[in-house]
Amino acid sequence: MTKADLVERVYLKTGFSKKESAQIVEMVFDLMKSTLEKGEKIKLAGFGNFVVKNKATRKGRNPQTGDEIEICSRKILTFKPSQVLKSVINAQG
Amino acid sequence: MTKSELIEKLSYSNNLLGKKESELVVNTLLDGIRNALVEGQRVEIRGFGSFTVRTRDAREARNPKSGEVVQIAAKKTAFFKTGKELRERVDNGNG
């Protein structure tokens, strides 16, 4: 499933034109992206939570050469599926 | 941000959308992703990320209270891989 399929679903459900539906879907993901960019988490009841986490600097190794390298601190995004999402995924055999 | 705040922001930023329509849009999107995952399909949203179903193997674990060994069956879970654009924006963002 891609964004185009999601646009199609919105189009069928809402009665907006395909063009409008595409713009609206884009807008939803843009809103989510700018929220996460600010470091703010998103909690979607029944679906899951998107949380930005800080990763500290750590030492790593280049697996090919064995050289020790420093892995810089960075921010990453994590997704934790809700209990509801996990159970519907497991319900179907 | 919660789902209702997302719905509110969406209707704020598009004059086609009242609160009712925004709610319908957000629920349609989440239902769509959820249904695809239930069917075992992968969902890819360019610039945002992709959702896939991953299987966790069966394992043995212990009840921390009694120390008893319990068998945990294999189960499926939703996995999200952040897309390139979003990964970079999150890392460079001022959060």
Side-chain angles (χ1 to χ4, degrees), chain A residues 1 37 41 43 75 90, chain B residues 1 42 44 76 89 93:
Chain A
M1 173 179 260
E37 186 175 27
K41 65 177 162 214
K43 302 203 282 187
K75 282 178 283 183
N90 280 287
Chain B
M1 180 164 83
R42 171 191 148 91
E44 182 179 335
K76 290 182 279 185
R89 282 177 65 179

